[in-house]
Amino acid sequence: MGIFGRKRRTEGGSAGRHAAPEADDTIEDAYDDEEAELSDVSDGPYDVADFEDDGVPRIDLGSVKVPVPDGSQVQVEMDPETGGVRAVHVVTEQGQITVSAYAAPRSGGLWREVSTELADQLRADGAKVTIGRGVWGLEISAIVGDVALRFVGVDRPRWMLRGVIAGPQSEAAAAVEVLREIVRRTIVDRGDAPMPVRTPLTITLPDAVAEHIAAQQQQG
Protein backbone atom coordinates (compact mmCIF):
# COMPACT_ATOMS: atom_id res chain seq x y z
CA MET A 1 0.00 0.00 0.00
CA GLY A 2 1.41 3.37 -0.98
CA ILE A 3 1.49 6.38 1.30
CA PHE A 4 1.35 9.14 -1.26
CA GLY A 5 -2.23 8.89 -2.49
CA ARG A 6 -3.74 11.61 -0.31
CA LYS A 7 -2.85 15.30 -0.34
CA ARG A 8 -3.12 17.66 2.56
CA ARG A 9 -6.11 19.91 2.46
CA THR A 10 -3.96 23.00 2.92
CA GLU A 11 -1.94 22.27 -0.20
CA GLY A 12 -4.97 22.57 -2.43
CA GLY A 13 -3.22 21.37 -5.59
CA SER A 14 -1.62 24.76 -6.27
CA ALA A 15 1.75 26.23 -5.43
CA GLY A 16 0.59 27.60 -2.06
CA ARG A 17 2.75 29.05 0.65
CA HIS A 18 4.21 25.63 1.50
CA ALA A 19 5.12 24.51 -2.02
CA ALA A 20 8.75 25.61 -1.75
CA PRO A 21 10.84 27.42 0.85
CA GLU A 22 11.50 31.09 0.43
CA ALA A 23 15.08 32.19 0.96
CA ASP A 24 15.98 34.15 4.09
CA ASP A 25 19.33 35.46 5.17
CA THR A 26 19.31 33.88 8.61
CA ILE A 27 17.43 31.45 10.83
CA GLU A 28 16.12 34.37 12.87
CA ASP A 29 14.73 36.09 9.77
CA ALA A 30 12.84 32.94 8.87
CA TYR A 31 11.37 32.61 12.35
CA ASP A 32 10.48 36.29 12.60
CA ASP A 33 8.56 36.07 9.32
CA GLU A 34 6.88 32.78 10.22
CA GLU A 35 6.18 33.31 13.92
CA ALA A 36 2.45 33.84 13.47
CA GLU A 37 2.10 30.67 11.39
CA LEU A 38 4.09 28.15 13.43
CA SER A 39 0.98 26.85 15.21
CA ASP A 40 -0.59 25.91 11.87
CA VAL A 41 0.83 22.38 11.79
CA SER A 42 -0.22 19.51 9.59
CA ASP A 43 -2.05 16.40 10.71
CA GLY A 44 1.25 14.70 11.52
CA PRO A 45 3.75 13.55 12.64
CA TYR A 46 1.91 11.77 15.40
CA ASP A 47 2.53 11.03 19.04
CA VAL A 48 1.85 7.35 19.65
CA ALA A 49 -0.68 8.26 22.34
CA ASP A 50 -2.78 10.22 19.85
CA PHE A 51 -2.47 7.97 16.82
CA GLU A 52 -5.30 5.96 15.30
CA ASP A 53 -4.44 3.18 12.85
CA ASP A 54 -4.64 4.41 9.27
CA GLY A 55 -3.44 1.30 7.47
CA VAL A 56 -0.21 2.91 6.26
CA PRO A 57 2.70 0.41 6.20
CA ARG A 58 5.49 1.43 8.57
CA ILE A 59 8.69 -0.09 9.87
CA ASP A 60 8.61 -0.22 13.67
CA LEU A 61 11.91 1.09 15.02
CA GLY A 62 10.75 1.40 18.62
CA SER A 63 10.91 5.14 19.21
CA VAL A 64 9.76 5.92 15.67
CA LYS A 65 7.50 4.10 13.28
CA VAL A 66 8.43 5.25 9.79
CA PRO A 67 6.32 4.82 6.63
CA VAL A 68 7.96 2.90 3.80
CA PRO A 69 6.73 4.00 0.34
CA ASP A 70 6.12 1.49 -2.42
CA GLY A 71 9.32 0.72 -4.31
CA SER A 72 11.65 2.00 -1.57
CA GLN A 73 14.26 0.08 0.40
CA VAL A 74 15.24 0.14 4.06
CA GLN A 75 18.95 0.30 4.91
CA VAL A 76 20.34 -0.15 8.42
CA GLU A 77 23.55 1.68 9.37
CA MET A 78 25.39 -0.03 12.20
CA ASP A 79 27.94 1.52 14.54
CA PRO A 80 31.11 -0.56 14.06
CA GLU A 81 32.43 0.39 17.52
CA THR A 82 29.38 -0.40 19.64
CA GLY A 83 27.59 -2.84 17.35
CA GLY A 84 24.38 -0.88 17.84
CA VAL A 85 22.14 0.77 15.30
CA ARG A 86 23.38 4.18 14.21
CA ALA A 87 20.55 5.03 11.82
CA VAL A 88 17.89 3.53 9.58
CA HIS A 89 17.44 5.00 6.11
CA VAL A 90 14.55 4.79 3.67
CA VAL A 91 15.98 4.85 0.15
CA THR A 92 13.63 6.21 -2.52
CA GLU A 93 14.10 7.18 -6.16
CA GLN A 94 14.47 10.81 -5.04
CA GLY A 95 17.09 10.18 -2.38
CA GLN A 96 17.96 8.68 0.98
CA ILE A 97 15.69 9.72 3.86
CA THR A 98 16.64 9.56 7.53
CA VAL A 99 14.16 10.34 10.30
CA SER A 100 15.38 10.80 13.88
CA ALA A 101 13.60 11.68 17.13
CA TYR A 102 15.03 13.42 20.19
CA ALA A 103 13.94 14.27 23.71
CA ALA A 104 12.78 17.89 23.90
CA PRO A 105 11.25 20.36 26.36
CA ARG A 106 7.49 20.32 26.90
CA SER A 107 7.45 23.89 25.62
CA GLY A 108 9.07 22.93 22.30
CA GLY A 109 11.52 25.18 20.50
CA LEU A 110 14.36 22.65 20.17
CA TRP A 111 14.34 22.69 16.36
CA ARG A 112 15.04 26.41 16.39
CA GLU A 113 18.25 25.81 18.35
CA VAL A 114 19.28 22.74 16.38
CA SER A 115 18.58 24.31 12.99
CA THR A 116 20.77 27.31 13.79
CA GLU A 117 23.68 25.05 14.72
CA LEU A 118 23.06 22.84 11.69
CA ALA A 119 23.04 25.75 9.24
CA ASP A 120 26.24 27.15 10.76
CA GLN A 121 27.96 23.76 10.52
CA LEU A 122 26.89 23.24 6.91
CA ARG A 123 28.25 26.66 5.94
CA ALA A 124 31.50 25.93 7.79
CA ASP A 125 31.81 22.75 5.73
CA GLY A 126 31.48 24.75 2.52
CA ALA A 127 27.85 23.99 1.69
CA LYS A 128 25.59 26.49 -0.04
CA VAL A 129 22.77 26.94 2.47
CA THR A 130 19.28 28.39 1.99
CA ILE A 131 16.89 29.01 4.87
CA GLY A 132 13.22 28.77 4.04
CA ARG A 133 9.73 28.06 5.32
CA GLY A 134 7.74 24.89 4.79
CA VAL A 135 4.91 22.84 6.25
CA TRP A 136 6.05 22.98 9.89
CA GLY A 137 8.03 26.21 9.79
CA LEU A 138 11.74 26.36 9.14
CA GLU A 139 13.43 24.18 6.50
CA ILE A 140 17.08 24.11 5.49
CA SER A 141 18.29 23.42 1.96
CA ALA A 142 21.96 22.78 1.27
CA ILE A 143 24.08 21.90 -1.73
CA VAL A 144 27.21 19.83 -1.04
CA GLY A 145 29.04 18.99 -4.24
CA ASP A 146 26.51 17.23 -6.46
CA VAL A 147 24.21 16.35 -3.57
CA ALA A 148 21.11 18.30 -2.56
CA LEU A 149 20.05 18.13 1.10
CA ARG A 150 16.78 19.18 2.69
CA PHE A 151 16.20 19.23 6.45
CA VAL A 152 12.86 19.62 8.19
CA GLY A 153 12.11 19.63 11.91
CA VAL A 154 8.93 19.30 13.93
CA ASP A 155 8.62 20.37 17.57
CA ARG A 156 6.09 18.63 19.80
CA PRO A 157 5.80 18.50 23.61
CA ARG A 158 8.69 16.36 24.92
CA TRP A 159 10.04 15.33 21.50
CA MET A 160 11.43 16.73 18.29
CA LEU A 161 11.47 14.93 14.96
CA ARG A 162 14.09 15.71 12.33
CA GLY A 163 14.01 14.46 8.76
CA VAL A 164 16.61 14.82 6.02
CA ILE A 165 16.77 13.69 2.42
CA ALA A 166 19.99 13.51 0.43
CA GLY A 167 19.87 13.00 -3.32
CA PRO A 168 20.86 14.34 -6.72
CA GLN A 169 20.14 17.99 -7.43
CA SER A 170 17.97 16.96 -10.39
CA GLU A 171 15.51 15.36 -7.95
CA ALA A 172 15.51 18.16 -5.37
CA ALA A 173 12.04 19.50 -6.19
CA ALA A 174 10.38 16.10 -5.91
CA ALA A 175 12.55 15.03 -2.98
CA VAL A 176 11.17 17.60 -0.57
CA GLU A 177 7.60 16.40 -1.06
CA VAL A 178 8.65 12.79 -0.48
CA LEU A 179 10.47 13.84 2.70
CA ARG A 180 7.53 15.85 4.00
CA GLU A 181 5.11 13.00 3.39
CA ILE A 182 7.26 10.51 5.27
CA VAL A 183 7.76 12.92 8.18
CA ARG A 184 4.03 13.71 8.20
CA ARG A 185 3.09 10.06 8.61
CA THR A 186 5.78 9.10 11.13
CA ILE A 187 4.72 8.05 14.64
CA VAL A 188 6.90 8.93 17.64
CA ASP A 189 6.94 6.89 20.86
CA ARG A 190 8.80 9.12 23.33
CA GLY A 191 8.16 6.94 26.37
CA ASP A 192 7.71 8.26 29.90
CA ALA A 193 11.27 8.01 31.19
CA PRO A 194 12.98 11.34 31.93
CA MET A 195 15.98 12.06 29.76
CA PRO A 196 18.11 15.11 28.94
CA VAL A 197 17.00 17.38 26.14
CA ARG A 198 18.57 16.42 22.77
CA THR A 199 19.00 12.78 23.76
CA PRO A 200 18.35 10.65 20.65
CA LEU A 201 15.43 8.29 21.20
CA THR A 202 16.58 4.69 21.01
CA ILE A 203 16.19 2.81 17.75
CA THR A 204 15.34 -0.88 17.93
CA LEU A 205 15.05 -3.16 14.91
CA PRO A 206 12.21 -5.57 14.16
CA ASP A 207 13.20 -9.14 15.07
CA ALA A 208 13.36 -10.32 11.46
CA VAL A 209 15.67 -7.44 10.48
CA ALA A 210 17.90 -7.89 13.53
CA GLU A 211 18.22 -11.63 12.84
CA HIS A 212 19.09 -10.98 9.20
CA ILE A 213 21.84 -8.52 10.15
CA ALA A 214 23.21 -10.88 12.79
CA ALA A 215 23.40 -13.67 10.23
CA GLN A 216 25.23 -11.41 7.79
CA GLN A 217 27.72 -10.39 10.47
CA GLN A 218 28.43 -14.00 11.32
CA GLN A 219 29.04 -14.84 7.67
CA GLY A 220 31.33 -11.84 7.35
Side-chain angles (χ1 to χ4, degrees), residues 44-47 51 58 63-67 99 159 161 181-188:
Y46 307 95
D47 189 279
F51 176 71
R58 296 175 173 86
S63 59
V64 290
K65 297 167 179 55
V66 181
V99 177
W159 55 262
L161 191 69
E181 193 69 358
I182 285 182
V183 168
R184 179 179 296 120
R185 299 193 186 281
T186 294
I187 304 165
V188 178

Side-chain angles (χ1 to χ4, degrees), residues 16-212:
R17 66 180 176 86
H18 293 319
E22 301 170 13
D24 280 288
D25 292 333
T26 68
I27 298 285
E28 293 304 320
D29 288 341
Y31 271 104
D32 289 343
D33 292 344
E34 191 79 359
E35 195 71 35
E37 301 180 18
L38 289 178
S39 61
D40 181 18
V41 298
S42 71
D43 55 351
Y46 307 95
D47 189 279
V48 67
D50 303 324
F51 176 71
E52 296 183 3
D53 186 27
D54 56 6
V56 171
R58 296 175 173 86
I59 181 169
D60 188 345
L61 301 174
S63 59
V64 290
K65 297 167 179 55
V66 181
V68 180
D70 292 340
S72 62
Q73 296 181 335
V74 175
Q75 293 184 352
V76 179
E77 181 181 347
M78 304 298 292
D79 188 325
E81 295 184 0
T82 66
V85 180
R86 178 178 290 170
V88 177
H89 311 290
V90 177
V91 182
T92 70
E93 293 182 357
Q94 292 75 28
Q96 175 179 284
I97 296 171
T98 309
V99 177
S100 308
Y102 302 84
R106 290 184 180 275
S107 57
L110 180 58
W111 174 238
R112 182 170 186 165
E113 298 176 12
V114 171
S115 59
T116 299
E117 297 168 4
L118 177 60
D120 289 344
Q121 184 60 57
L122 286 165
R123 291 191 179 102
D125 291 340
K128 180 181 179 182
V129 177
T130 302
I131 308 301
R133 296 178 295 279
V135 176
W136 299 280
L138 182 91
E139 294 184 358
I140 298 174
S141 299
I143 302 296
V144 182
D146 296 329
V147 177
L149 300 168
R150 178 67 69 95
F151 297 84
V152 302
V154 185
D155 280 314
R156 292 287 189 267
R158 301 182 68 241
W159 55 262
M160 180 199 80
L161 191 69
R162 189 189 80 169
V164 56
I165 186 166
Q169 294 186 42
S170 60
E171 293 289 341
V176 63
E177 292 306 324
V178 175
L179 173 62
R180 288 171 179 166
E181 193 69 358
I182 285 182
V183 168
R184 179 179 296 120
R185 299 193 186 281
T186 294
I187 304 165
V188 178
D189 188 351
R190 161 65 173 76
D192 298 324
M195 62 183 72
V197 170
R198 298 193 181 210
T199 301
L201 302 190
T202 302
I203 294 175
T204 57
L205 298 177
D207 290 341
V209 176
E211 292 170 1
H212 177 72

